[in-house]
Amino acid sequence: MPKSKHLYLLLILLLNFNCVFAQKNVGEISLKTILLEIEQKHRIVFNYIEDEIALFKLTPPEENWELSQKIDYISRQTNLHFKVFSDKYYTIYNNPKYDKPLCGFLVDEQTLEPIENAFITIENTAVQVSSNVDGFFELPIISTNDISIIHQSYEPLRIAPRKLYDPGCPQVLLKPHVSPLTEVIAHQFMTSGIAQKKDGSLKIKPKKFGLLPGLIEPDVLQTLQQLPGVNSTDETISNLSVRGGSHDQNLFLWNGIRMFQTGHFFGLISVFNPSLTHEITFTKNGTSAFFGESVSSLVNISTHNEKIEKTGARLSANMISAEANARLQLTKKAYIEISGRRSLTDFINSPTYQKFNDRVFQNTIITDLNANTPSNISSNKRFYFYDLTFHYFQKIAAKHELSVDAITIRNTLGIDQYKTDAEKFSRWGQENYGAALQWKSQWNQHHQTQIQLSTSSYKLNAFNESVTNNQTTQQSNEVLNYGIKIKHEYQFSESWSLNLGYVLDELGVANSDQINEPEFNRNIKNVSRNHVGITEFEYKPKHNKTRLSCGTRFNYYSKFGLLRTEPRFTWQQSLTEHWSLNLSGEFKSQSLQQIIDQQRDFLGLEKRRWIMADEKNIPLQKSKQIGIGLSFKNKSWLLNLENFYKKVDGITAPEEGFQNQFEFSKSAGEYEILGSEIFIQKNFKKWYTWLSYTFNQNTYWFENLYDQKFPNNYELVYSLTNAVIYDWKSLKIAVGSRWHSGKPYTTPASYVVNNTNPANPTIDYNSPNNKRLSDYFQLNASASKTWKTEKGPSIEVGVSVLNILGKRSLIHRYYRINATGDGIENVDIYALGRTPNLSVKFSF
């Protein structure tokens, strides 16, 4: 055979093979296109409704098939029915069971919980809907285009419309973001319910809280004292020092409401009810630009829970107080949660109360009255506290949420003294009321807006009648705060987002003192209105090896005509699978501070009063901080190491509470702190242990004092906390200790009173903070057991002991001229003694 014929035959075979191969690999095309081809091929006509066939895409049937084979194939693939009217005309109609819009229910692949606020889009169209509280969605049109589903907490999903072609509305499973994409470094930091985020902040969830030594319930502020860089020189949570700052330099928010009071029982108990299912974010550095009025840390507490849980309640009591919490589901989109707690101290004189009482009333007017009362005078005291909260949550349509919150806190002390011809009364009270309204809108997957209105009112007052003369003293300190916050989040790419905001913050502070003999009256009121502009960028790439947040807060203090620009940033970079590097920094400021005018103010109990900066005698406080850290995390080990530098200027001597030669000084100064923090944790199957260590050097600088540079009152050079915890199912046991070096104090240069001015005798002191107290040590333990019943309530019993060894640690020392005026005496304040506590909790 000629060569040309061979080539010709080979070409024919290749073409035929190519045609066959192409036929076998034809992709899916729309059903409408297939029907048109069949009409032309077999010279017939199909009658149908466009919407009933619009969603179908099929692989075309073989061209050499008979007409009946093609119809049978299409019917099996689509569940459509074909009816023959004649040899030429066919009618196509849908199965009545499938005659409905395309719809579905989005659920979590792992928990099978419904997923709300996911965005469902028909690709290449403008059609977009969102899922409701039940995870349900419905598409308004039918299209052959694929359907994309996006939610910030789940992996994106693309499905063909035929997956929703079902007699009902099928479930669509979404896969949660896996751990490489999470923002959390450690899900269990010290105990369950505490997680460390990649920006360095800590997220605490009391509902999932484990156990810490000495605590029988998740007291928020007591928990913070276990963390590196956080301590209290007098054991109280109303005197928390974070990286060397004073308590008033921390910002405490409850559902967006600024809290000016944080402690019950004069700081031994947190005012935030542990029964609430709240979430706490604690930030020491790199604070978001949306938070101001603080030169130290941020404690942001939220009771908001977007998940509508079923109606439930909790009742509990311990040896100090009783509390209740109830959640009522109003509809599938709304609920109300209320809580209340009241002390039992005016009814029951428990061992716990007695220990608290002994600790709090050392060397105050209360103990002086008891010690110096003449035999013909009798006295009694009555103390109680309570707190109430209210939260209302409502989902409106698919994109909006409304929250309403209110909180009431009150501490009251009454002292009655009687003698033969007179009856005298002294009263002390501290209260904080707050309310907030928040509106949140998720417009689409790119835009979200939050608007919040809030108010907070604080009042501290005391009235004292002297039992030995006719002198009466009345003092009060009031703060009123109104705020508006607007925040808009724009996700303009897969990795980048831009947050913009505006804040209006109005503050009013009033202080009054009235004495009848000798007559003295003082009333001071100050008001300021601050405007704030905010811009913040966040970079969160999908690979999650880098996380960057940088923002700027533009503060305009209208009272001073001052514009202050405050940049903040956090940067986290994964170095390897287990190691990561963290860098953070911030500039911050605040216009309020708490000072001590006289150590015996307000009965010597809560001596601090809020005042406002005036940029004359009381400067605006300003801070700057930089920190660098290294983290290691694997399945069983967690290591955090961070070094930081922090400087705060604008502090005043009355704010620092000196009880030495500077007690009555009004000078302004600054402090500078350089420190290191280490946290190590090791997990076993049922056990885990951790150690937290802090080293810092904290130094004052007061230019106008004759001793300009000396150690800070809050300087604890070394501090260490540790614990060993057993946590398995319903049984939890925790044993741990707290140790720190002694705080500084000032000794007299001579124990002879200086009578240079006989009308005002004084003490001559050595250089300020020239000595230190002995080291502080406390060993603590806790245990809890839970019993769950099938139909009845679950019961949890807890027991704890603070200071198991009963060690008498000295936590404060100062000097004063004695009652006769001819000598100097030292006054010692001791730590809490061995303190047991017992709690019982019922959950319904």
Side-chain angles (χ1 to χ4, degrees):
M1 184 180 291
K3 185 182 291 187
S4 59
K5 289 186 178 181
H6 284 286
L7 291 174
Y8 178 75
L9 287 174
L10 179 60
L11 181 60
I12 295 296
L13 288 172
L14 288 173
L15 288 172
N16 285 334
F17 175 80
N18 185 62
C19 291
V20 171
F21 182 81
Q23 181 68 24
K24 294 294 184 183
N25 290 276
V26 171
E28 291 185 341
I29 62 176
S30 70
L31 177 58
K32 184 175 181 179
T33 302
I34 294 173
L35 294 175
L36 290 174
E37 290 178 353
I38 294 174
E39 286 180 330
Q40 294 176 359
K41 174 78 174 177
H42 297 278
R43 300 180 179 275
I44 60 171
V45 176
F46 290 118
N47 295 314
Y48 48 80
I49 298 173
E50 291 277 351
D51 283 350
E52 291 186 353
I53 69 165
L55 64 89
F56 296 108
K57 281 186 176 181
L58 301 174
T59 301
E62 297 289 344
E63 286 191 10
N64 59 354
W65 285 1
E66 297 291 337
L67 176 60
S68 59
Q69 290 178 300
K70 294 179 181 179
I71 291 176
D72 183 58
Y73 166 76
I74 295 172
S75 181
R76 281 187 284 105
Q77 295 292 321
T78 64
N79 287 314
L80 293 173
H81 295 289
F82 289 76
K83 187 173 182 180
V84 182
F85 278 93
S86 68
D87 292 340
K88 187 176 181 181
Y89 294 96
Y90 291 76
T91 299
I92 304 174
Y93 61 95
N94 201 358
N95 188 324
K97 293 188 298 183
Y98 297 86
D99 193 11
K100 63 172 185 57
L102 296 182
C103 58
F105 289 90
L106 301 181
V107 296
D108 187 296
E109 182 181 76
Q110 298 176 0
T111 67
L112 298 182
E113 293 288 333
I115 299 171
E116 186 183 10
N117 291 332
F119 292 98
I120 301 94
T121 305
I122 298 177
E123 294 184 352
N124 300 319
T125 73
V127 176
Q128 184 182 77
V129 298
S130 59
S131 56
N132 66 12
V133 66
D134 298 316
F136 176 78
F137 67 91
E138 183 178 284
L139 296 171
I141 67 171
I142 295 176
S143 169
T144 56
N145 296 350
D146 284 348
I147 298 167
S148 65
I149 303 172
I150 297 174
H151 191 284
Q152 60 184 0
S153 300
Y154 295 85
E155 298 286 354
L157 180 66
R158 174 186 289 177
I159 61 174
R162 287 182 60 189
K163 285 191 177 284
L164 304 179
Y165 186 63
D166 189 89
C169 294
Q171 284 191 345
V172 179
L173 303 179
L174 295 188
K175 184 178 181 180
H177 284 309
V178 293
S179 55
L181 298 180
T182 184
E183 295 182 12
V184 174
I185 290 179
H187 289 275
Q188 183 171 284
F189 188 94
M190 295 202 307
T191 186
S192 57
I194 303 179
Q196 184 189 25
K197 298 178 66 179
K198 287 194 171 181
D199 61 3
S201 65
L202 292 177
K203 183 169 286 188
I204 304 169
K205 294 187 175 183
K207 187 177 180 181
K208 300 180 179 179
F209 204 73
L211 200 64
L212 287 174
L215 301 182
I216 54 175
E217 53 189 10
D219 188 298
V220 176
L221 303 186
Q222 291 285 2
T223 301
L224 295 184
Q225 291 189 56
Q226 313 282 337
L227 303 174
V230 184
N231 59 63
S232 174
T233 56
D234 62 3
E235 298 184 312
T236 68
I237 51 85
S238 58
N239 195 26
L240 282 182
S241 174
V242 179
R243 291 185 171 176
S246 55
H247 185 77
D248 60 309
Q249 293 173 350
N250 303 309
L251 176 64
F252 297 90
L253 297 175
W254 184 86
N255 289 338
I257 302 167
R258 185 173 181 183
M259 304 302 299
F260 299 95
Q261 175 186 349
T262 58
H264 281 316
F265 215 131
F266 310 101
L268 292 179
I269 302 171
S270 167
V271 298
F272 306 111
N273 192 326
S275 292
L276 295 176
T277 55
H278 46 225
E279 179 178 282
I280 303 99
T281 302
F282 176 62
T283 309
K284 291 183 287 187
N285 192 9
T287 311
S288 167
F290 282 86
F291 300 99
E293 273 300 310
S294 151
V295 293
S296 198
S297 73
L298 166 69
V299 182
N300 189 16
I301 302 170
S302 173
T303 66
H304 294 174
N305 188 349
E306 295 181 359
K307 182 180 177 182
I308 310 296
E309 295 181 345
K310 294 181 180 179
T311 297
R314 294 187 206 175
L315 298 174
S316 64
N318 56 47
M319 298 175 76
I320 291 292
S321 62
E323 58 196 57
N325 165 243
R327 174 187 286 258
L328 177 63
Q329 181 180 350
L330 303 177
T331 67
K332 289 185 177 181
K333 292 189 175 184
Y335 71 87
I336 288 177
E337 185 170 30
I338 57 175
S339 74
R341 175 172 52 167
R342 192 191 188 281
S343 65
L344 306 175
T345 52
D346 47 343
F347 302 113
I348 302 173
N349 189 10
S350 68
T352 310
Y353 168 69
Q354 194 56 55
K355 292 295 184 180
F356 278 21
N357 182 79
D358 294 343
R359 163 64 186 85
V360 167
F361 295 121
Q362 296 180 72
N363 298 295
T364 64
I365 286 181
I366 310 307
T367 51
D368 288 349
L369 287 172
N370 292 334
N372 299 325
T373 297
S375 59
N376 65 332
I377 297 178
S378 61
S379 66
N380 64 67
K381 88 175 167 285
R382 181 174 181 264
F383 168 75
Y384 68 91
F385 64 81
Y386 67 82
D387 55 70
L388 301 168
T389 68
F390 169 85
H391 173 56
Y392 171 74
F393 179 78
Q394 171 74 58
K395 290 183 180 290
I396 301 172
K399 298 182 178 180
H400 310 288
E401 297 174 359
L402 172 67
S403 297
V404 180
D405 297 281
I407 186 169
T408 297
I409 298 165
R410 175 76 183 176
N411 282 254
T412 299
L413 172 67
I415 307 161
D416 301 331
Q417 291 189 289
Y418 310 93
K419 65 179 182 177
T420 306
D421 58 345
E423 183 177 355
K424 301 290 185 177
F425 305 96
S426 293
R427 298 287 183 267
W428 177 94
Q430 186 182 30
E431 59 192 26
N432 202 153
Y433 306 108
L437 184 149
Q438 178 177 286
W439 180 275
K440 181 179 177 181
S441 295
Q442 181 79 48
W443 305 108
N444 52 45
Q445 66 262 44
H446 299 295
H447 292 275
Q448 177 180 292
T449 304
Q450 296 180 44
I451 301 174
Q452 184 178 67
L453 310 177
S454 64
T455 180
S456 182
S457 173
Y458 168 82
K459 187 172 184 180
L460 173 65
N461 57 76
F463 175 77
N464 184 29
E465 284 186 312
S466 173
V467 72
T468 57
N469 55 48
N470 293 322
Q471 187 184 68
T472 62
T473 304
Q474 187 165 345
Q475 298 176 304
S476 73
N477 174 222
E478 298 180 46
V479 181
L480 186 61
N481 176 222
Y482 297 104
I484 300 173
K485 178 186 282 189
I486 301 172
K487 180 180 181 180
H488 184 79
E489 301 177 18
Y490 172 43
Q491 185 83 33
F492 59 86
S493 77
E494 190 177 60
S495 302
W496 285 94
S497 63
L498 170 65
N499 304 326
L500 300 173
Y502 168 77
V503 175
L504 171 63
D505 190 38
E506 183 171 307
L507 287 162
V509 180
N511 279 285
S512 69
D513 298 86
Q514 297 178 17
I515 303 174
N516 64 338
E517 293 180 6
E519 186 175 349
F520 174 79
N521 286 284
R522 179 178 68 168
N523 287 283
I524 302 173
K525 293 184 179 180
N526 288 288
V527 178
S528 72
R529 183 179 289 113
N530 306 324
H531 301 271
V532 182
I534 300 158
T535 178
E536 189 173 70
F537 284 93
E538 288 186 291
Y539 175 62
K540 299 178 184 178
K542 197 168 184 179
H543 59 70
N544 206 40
K545 293 181 179 180
T546 303
R547 187 188 188 281
L548 174 67
S549 175
C550 54
T552 304
R553 185 177 177 91
F554 302 92
N555 284 321
Y556 178 70
Y557 294 96
S558 59
K559 184 178 178 69
F560 322 125
L562 173 66
L563 177 63
R564 177 173 166 80
T565 302
E566 298 175 353
R568 290 101 178 266
F569 77 93
T570 61
W571 173 54
Q572 187 273 337
Q573 179 65 49
S574 295
L575 303 176
T576 67
E577 182 182 356
H578 302 294
W579 289 94
S580 62
L581 179 69
N582 303 276
L583 186 65
S584 58
E586 62 183 19
F587 282 72
K588 298 169 75 175
S589 63
Q590 69 181 67
S591 59
L592 292 188
Q593 62 177 264
Q594 280 185 304
I595 66 165
I596 299 175
D597 266 354
Q598 303 285 337
Q599 291 294 332
R600 292 303 179 97
D601 280 355
F602 300 99
L603 304 186
L605 295 169
E606 180 60 58
K607 299 169 284 190
R608 295 181 177 274
R609 62 174 79 206
W610 289 98
I611 63 170
M612 182 178 292
D614 57 14
E615 281 293 79
K616 296 176 183 177
N617 300 317
I618 308 168
L620 185 73
Q621 293 190 353
K622 305 166 188 175
S623 71
K624 52 187 176 183
Q625 183 178 185
I626 188 75
I628 184 169
L630 196 64
S631 296
F632 173 83
K633 173 71 169 67
N634 63 17
K635 290 183 179 180
S636 60
W637 283 97
L638 171 64
L639 169 66
N640 280 341
L641 170 64
E642 185 167 7
N643 298 307
F644 67 92
Y645 167 80
K646 177 181 173 184
K647 183 179 180 181
V648 178
D649 59 49
I651 64 172
T652 61
E655 180 188 21
E656 299 305 299
F658 292 116
Q659 288 184 279
N660 53 19
Q661 59 265 56
F662 303 140
E663 180 173 346
F664 302 107
S665 171
K666 306 297 182 184
S667 296
E670 64 186 44
Y671 70 83
E672 197 172 46
I673 180 170
L674 186 67
S676 297
E677 299 168 356
I678 301 174
F679 181 83
I680 303 172
Q681 179 170 296
K682 169 65 175 173
N683 294 343
F684 304 93
K685 288 185 178 180
K686 302 175 184 178
W687 298 82
Y688 54 96
T689 182
W690 55 262
L691 181 146
S692 168
Y693 173 79
T694 303
F695 165 79
N696 69 78
Q697 292 181 321
N698 192 352
T699 307
Y700 285 129
W701 173 266
F702 284 90
E703 186 177 0
N704 296 325
L705 298 180
Y706 59 84
D707 279 298
Q708 295 178 327
K709 189 175 181 180
F710 53 94
N712 192 300
N713 291 344
Y714 297 97
E715 183 187 59
L716 303 178
V717 179
Y718 309 102
S719 62
L720 183 147
T721 59
N722 64 85
V724 177
I725 300 171
Y726 176 83
D727 190 342
W728 182 249
K729 295 183 178 179
S730 61
L731 177 62
K732 301 173 183 177
I733 301 172
V735 179
S737 65
R738 298 176 61 194
W739 170 87
H740 62 70
S741 54
K743 64 173 287 190
Y745 71 102
T746 308
T747 59
S750 169
Y751 283 90
V752 177
V753 177
N754 184 337
N755 284 306
T756 304
N757 180 3
N760 184 29
T762 60
I763 300 174
D764 293 327
Y765 285 96
N766 288 309
S767 57
N769 289 342
N770 64 310
K771 279 201 170 184
R772 292 185 179 273
L773 300 176
S774 55
D775 292 354
Y776 171 95
F777 179 78
Q778 189 182 74
L779 180 65
N780 308 312
S782 299
S784 70
K785 172 70 174 176
T786 303
W787 292 270
K788 294 184 179 181
T789 58
E790 291 185 6
K791 296 183 179 180
S794 65
I795 303 171
E796 180 181 335
V797 176
V799 62
S800 69
V801 182
L802 287 167
N803 195 7
I804 295 174
L805 303 178
K807 183 175 173 60
R808 200 163 184 256
S809 297
L810 181 62
I811 58 175
H812 185 50
R813 172 176 286 170
Y814 66 96
Y815 297 85
R816 66 186 181 190
I817 298 174
N818 63 21
T820 59
D822 58 358
I824 297 172
E825 62 186 12
N826 68 281
V827 180
D828 290 341
I829 307 292
Y830 290 92
L832 197 65
R834 184 185 295 111
T835 307
N837 204 349
L838 175 70
S839 72
V840 180
K841 181 184 294 183
F842 298 88
S843 299
F844 302 88

